[in-house]
Amino acid sequence: MNAPHRHWLDVGLVSDIPRRGARRVETPWMAIALFRTMDDRVFALEDRCPHRNGPLSQGIVHGAHVTCPLHNQVIGLESGRVQAPDHGCVTSLPVKVTDGRITLGLPLAIGAE
Amino acid sequence: MREKLVIIGNGMAPGRVLDELFDNGVDRYDITIFNAEARVNYDRIMLSPVLSGEKRFEDIIIHDDAWYAAHGITLYKGKPVMAIHRASKTVTAIDGSSVPYDKLLIATGSRPIIPPMPGHDLVGVVSYRDLDDVDAMLAAARRGGRAVVIGGGLLGLEAAAGLKERGMQVTVLHLAATLMERQLDSAAGHLLAQALRQRGIEVVTEANTRAVLGDSHVQAVELHDGRRFDADLVVFAIGIRPNTSLAAAADLDVARGIVVGDDLRTSDADIFAVGECVEHRGQCYGLVAPLYEMARVVASELAGNKAAYAGSQVSTKLKVTGIDVYSAGDFADGEGREEIVLRDAARHTYKRLTLADNRIVGVVLFGDTRDGAWFYQQMREARDVSDTRDTLIFGQHYAGGAALDPTAAVAALPDDAEICGCNGVCKGKIVKAIAGQGLKTLNDVRAHTKASSSCGSCTGLVEQLLKSQLGAAYSVDAVPAMCGCTRLGHDQVRRLILAKELKSIPDVMQSLEWTTSCGCAKCRPALNYYLLAAWPGEYQDDAQSRYINERAHANIQKDGTFSVVPRMWGGMTTPAELRAIADVAERFAIPAVKVTGGQRIDLLGVRKQDLPAVWAELNAAGMVSGHAYGKALRTVKTCVGSDWCRFGTQDSTGLGIRLEKYLWGAWTPHKVKLAVSGCPRNCAEATCKDFGVICVDSGYELHFAGAAGMHLKATEILCNVATEDEVVEYCAATLQLYREQGHYLERMYTWAARVGVATVRDTIVTRADLRAALVARFDKAQHYARHDPWAQRAHGRENGEFRLMARVARPRVSA
């Protein structure tokens, strides 16, 4: 997803997400899972496991990984890559955190595709 | 003609610039320094030892008056600069005097952040930045009383320890989940909090301060959640902000700090900036090492030589006597990174290296920081550690030796630690018996001490005691480990939680020497259950360590929607309940309504955000959670029994309702299903349940350890009893035994096969004392468990779990 233009949206506070947890954001194009690690980093992935479309926002977060609630595939939060022995990739989206608020970079391209 | 160098600020960074200049014999400048503080240059990072009483101010002076005189420097103390005039190349001080410069060095440092909350300006509120702050704290400490330190970072903790040393009662309030979260991972932060608490310092994390209270002098600090902490002194140590106003007023580039290039020049080539007021490649620094690296570059440039500052990798040490903490680099977990963790429970140490591409990128050390510099060196050199990887974590002086000994955890137990829960045998008794009576085998220990002779769940620990006493003469069968984060098996973890009185997930991981920093999706739910079962009413359930079904109190389905199963006691319902279910299904457009195998009704396809409202309506009709989603007591199936049936011998429906009302809410290692049949025709299919009751003329036949899921397993007979009360008693005792001994995700029939059906029967049926104790423990746990989680959430508990964080509309893109 190298869309050059992004639509940056304020989606709420870091404190809206529990540590080692996730919350979901719905958009016209896709649902997005926002994760917060124990050390307060925030990551955004499409809320859809490449295996069987599981909602990753409902998984258990450990370190910078999430385990999908449907069939236990493990996904890296930074790149969206599914960890071995499984394979696949989830769309990841850029996130900015300023003063505890989260803005999410939505690719404008997907609206036009 | 000598050039004029003017320096604004006289902290450690400009002090080091001067040292570098003179060391290199540079003598081309007439130097004038303006210092806002009315002092000479002193070692600010040694303020903590001054506060705690280990040093005096005289001990931490870097350059005294004589030094400035000897180098012909004009030093104005207590004389801040008010303006920089770039056009005329002069600076104006507070007294109106003007001094010209050829080269200007801005070293205005930073100031502590004091948020503009109510009461922030009361008397008795200080920051922790300079000697005046230390003097104010010492004055407060002489009066005694309570200090509240806001901010559990490096400075805040040093202030807290110093004030404690000076005799005050100290509380640290920290916003993040763990202390020093920028420098330490959560495991080390947890250990640090423990160490501070052991010194009598109160530590409160996730504490969001709302206001400082008091009339003229501070009296208390109040959090957003309403908690209050009395205070005679409040220290703000939540961070620093670069002092940029002077530079900004002179139209220099300023972002968070004064923006400089690699040559430390600002946007004006004749003006340098150095130290904490600087922003270099987007980074501001608040530690001394980067400041010194910058100083070297500035001195070089001032001497007319080209030099470049490339940013710093920083390491952190806490200066609190007796608490050793070290960190460096970036230790965050991530893809392509691996962690090596070594915990030593006996020595209270924790070491963690983060590797990327076989190179150290992050170091966290707690309790043993000797190898900090050695790791840091390898990190800075980006040394490939493939060859030394296996022993790297042991440090520089690792001289080979045995691999880690899994018996260490047991060897470290105190003599009065209970090893065998069934027969109440402590470690000391077993060790004494092994040594005193020359015991050689597990059976010897069983015969002489009774340990491991009942349920067998402590067998692994007893074997490790044998090994620790007999050494190589005794070989222990390897127990399969719980998961990749530990070498211990489920039984050992469960027994050690009790024996060592471990009461939180981080405590377990440290004491049992977990080899990861914060577990995985396998061990976290297991530990959460074990702690809940061990310490009912005391352990704080960790929602984020539970599988989604138990976190959301509904079953997740393949499309991400949820299903909702209200409880129907003993399978009985009423027209009003059915009407409420029908109404809810229509009102929320729930697509499927199904009858389950457990005599309940399942509403499928509920959107997560609708769950609390759906539950509120079901609650209003008197229904509670059926726990169909949990490793918990699920359903009690019944037949109509003597109420209606021609063959019914007892009131099976009534008994089923009674059992379910007694047992509901209980968390168990895996799901638990019951049935009560009114006669041997067994219409409720009680002979393939975890616990089954078959009513007969003479009373009740009790069954356990059956299943009809992945494996078809007929129940085992437990015994016959005469009364309903006994049914309830035996059932609770059996369930509690399973709750205490079962491995997480181990069904009752697997557990019974593992510990032995005869053993279970013996414990429950022939040992009335054990049975009574089990029931008492079950009752205690139920006191805290028998609450409807739906009602709590329908009333707003954990409402964030069920809300969408945001819904985004299609953006209007102008063509």
Side-chain angles (χ1 to χ4, degrees), chain A residues 24 26 41 58 64 69 79, chain B residues 333 335 547 608 800 805 808:
Chain A
R24 182 175 157 102
E26 289 185 357
R41 288 176 296 156
Q58 312 301 302
S79 68
Chain B
D333 177 54
E335 286 155 84
Y547 181 63
K608 193 180 186 188
M805 185 152 164
V808 173

Side-chain angles (χ1 to χ4, degrees), chain A residues 20-22 35-36 55-70 72-75 77, chain B residues 518-526 528 542-551 744:
Chain A
R20 294 172 302 140
F35 299 90
R36 180 184 180 189
L56 300 173
S57 58
Q58 312 301 302
I60 289 181
V61 176
H62 41 105
H65 295 84
V66 62
T67 295
C68 175
L70 292 199
N72 295 329
Q73 298 214 341
V74 178
I75 286 103
L77 297 180
Chain B
C518 52
C520 67
K522 255 197 189 138
C523 61
R524 286 232 315 267
N528 189 60
D542 175 20
Q544 300 309 136
S545 291
R546 281 186 180 265
Y547 181 63
I548 181 60
N549 288 1
E550 294 185 357
R551 200 170 350 122
Y744 192 65

Side-chain angles (χ1 to χ4, degrees), chain A residues 19 38 40, chain B residues 148-157 171-185 189-190 192-193 196-197 202-209 221 223 225 227 229 235 237-239:
Chain A
R19 289 187 177 94
M38 188 71 193
D40 287 337
Chain B
V148 170
V149 177
I150 300 171
L154 201 59
L155 274 181
L157 297 181
T171 301
V172 175
L173 302 178
H174 187 58
L175 182 61
T178 52
L179 297 174
M180 286 178 69
E181 75 282 359
R182 289 195 186 167
Q183 293 89 6
L184 301 179
D185 65 2
H190 172 81
L192 177 56
L196 292 163
R197 286 180 184 124
E202 185 182 18
V203 177
V204 185
T205 53
E206 302 193 73
N208 192 349
T209 309
V221 173
L223 304 186
D225 62 15
R227 280 181 291 172
F229 299 88
V235 182
I238 58 174

Side-chain angles (χ1 to χ4, degrees), chain B residues 104-177:
Chain B
L104 178 66
L105 175 58
I106 304 177
T108 43
S110 60
R111 63 185 182 287
I113 297 169
I114 299 201
M117 63 176 60
H120 71 277
D121 47 3
L122 286 168
V123 179
V125 177
V126 298
S127 56
Y128 185 25
R129 174 73 196 167
D130 56 28
L131 196 66
D132 295 334
D133 295 326
V134 172
D135 287 340
M137 286 194 231
L138 290 175
R142 277 192 291 274
R143 290 190 297 271
R146 293 172 174 276
V148 170
V149 177
I150 300 171
L154 201 59
L155 274 181
L157 297 181
E158 289 179 6
L163 292 167
K164 180 77 200 167
E165 204 69 32
R166 295 284 187 175
M168 291 190 89
Q169 291 188 55
V170 184
T171 301
V172 175
L173 302 178
H174 187 58
L175 182 61

